[in-house]
Amino acid sequence: EKYNIPTAKFGVFKKIEDANLFIKNSKFPLVVKADGLASGKGVAVCQNRDEALSALDNSMIQRVFGASGDCVLIEECLAGQEVSVFAFTDGKHLSPLVAACDYKRAFDNDLGPNTGGMGSFSPPAFWTANLSKEIRDAIMDPIIQAMGMEGYEFKGVIYAGLMLTVDGPKVIEFNCRLGDPETQVLLPRMRSDLVDVLLAIVDGKVE
C-alpha cells in the first residue's frame, strides 16, 4: 500500500471486535487470512457474514492455526485468473519473469477446499511478453526497490501470487522462495545451470 503496488483493499486486526466491525461494514465476498504460516490452509473465502465470522472464530478464538491466527487480514475478494510469477534478484536487478499456475482446490472441477497446491503447469497459455512487462513494471520491480529503500535489500527468489483482474494484475501475496508445487514444473524449463544463477545473485550480477 505504501509503495502503490496494486493489491486488494484490506484491513489488519489483532482484536476480534475490530475485525467483526470491519466485516459488518464490508461487501461480500471477503477473504479472511491468518497472518502467519498455516500450511497453505489459513485462507477462507467467505460468501456471507456468517462464513466470515466463522473464519474469524476459527482463527482468533479456536486458534486452529496457533499463534499464526492471533492477527488476521481481511480483504476484498479478487476475481480473475490466478498466476504465480517468479524471478531471481540480486536486490537491484531482476531476471526475466517466469509464470506457473497451480491447481488449488482439493477435488476435481475446482471443487473442495483450497490447498497449497495439488499440481501445476508452466507456462500458462495466457502468459505474454506484454503481460510480463506490465507485471514487472507495476509489481516486481517496485517491490524489490521498496525493500531496498526500507533497508531490507532482498537477494534470492521473489515469488508473487497474483490475480489478473479486470483492473489489471493485483498482488495476493509475496514469498521469498520457489513455490511448491510450482518448482516441479519451473526447474525442468531452465536451460542454464542453477548454481551459476545463484552465484550471480550473490555477486550482484543478475543483470
Side-chain angles (χ1 to χ4, degrees), residues 118-148:
M118 304 289 287
S120 58
F121 57 95
S122 178
F126 58 79
W127 188 251
T128 64
N130 286 341
L131 179 59
S132 178
K133 184 179 187 306
E134 181 182 4
I135 291 170
R136 186 185 188 103
D137 292 347
I139 295 170
M140 302 299 271
D141 273 332
I143 195 64
I144 293 301
Q145 302 309 317
M147 284 192 282

Side-chain angles (χ1 to χ4, degrees), residues 11-197:
V12 179
F13 306 95
K14 292 185 177 179
K15 294 182 179 179
I16 194 166
E17 297 83 6
D18 295 336
N20 281 331
L21 184 61
F22 184 85
I23 287 171
K24 182 179 179 181
N25 295 320
S26 296
K27 295 179 180 179
F28 287 88
L30 281 178
V31 182
V32 179
K33 297 181 177 181
D35 187 23
L37 296 176
S39 301
K41 299 177 176 64
V43 177
V45 179
C46 306
Q47 301 299 327
N48 54 56
R49 187 168 181 267
D50 287 343
E51 289 182 7
L53 294 177
S54 176
L56 270 188
D57 183 75
N58 284 338
S59 186
M60 303 186 87
I61 304 300
Q62 305 300 326
R63 301 187 84 241
V64 297
F65 309 116
S68 290
D70 291 346
C71 178
V72 296
L73 182 147
I74 305 174
E75 64 184 18
E76 67 172 325
C77 185
L78 298 177
Q81 171 66 54
E82 191 170 348
V83 62
S84 301
V85 178
F86 302 83
F88 297 106
T89 179
D90 56 17
K92 292 183 175 64
H93 309 106
L94 288 169
S95 68
L97 308 186
V98 62
C101 292
D102 61 356
Y103 302 99
K104 290 287 189 190
R105 299 289 186 169
F107 308 130
D108 289 343
N109 302 312
D110 281 333
L111 301 175
N114 252 355
T115 73
M118 304 289 287
S120 58
F121 57 95
S122 178
F126 58 79
W127 188 251
T128 64
N130 286 341
L131 179 59
S132 178
K133 184 179 187 306
E134 181 182 4
I135 291 170
R136 186 185 188 103
D137 292 347
I139 295 170
M140 302 299 271
D141 273 332
I143 195 64
I144 293 301
Q145 302 309 317
M147 284 192 282
M149 287 186 279
E150 293 286 328
Y152 297 100
E153 185 176 81
F154 177 72
K155 296 185 176 189
V157 178
I158 184 73
Y159 161 7
L162 307 178
M163 190 70 78
L164 305 181
T165 76
V166 292
D167 299 317
K170 294 191 177 184
V171 175
I172 300 171
E173 64 175 352
F174 285 110
N175 278 301
C176 54
R177 56 176 174 81
L178 284 168
D180 179 14
E182 294 95 341
T183 312
Q184 298 173 51
V185 294
L186 294 179
L187 289 186
R189 295 184 58 203
M190 284 192 72
R191 296 182 182 179
S192 51
D193 191 318
L194 180 60
V195 173
D196 292 337
V197 176

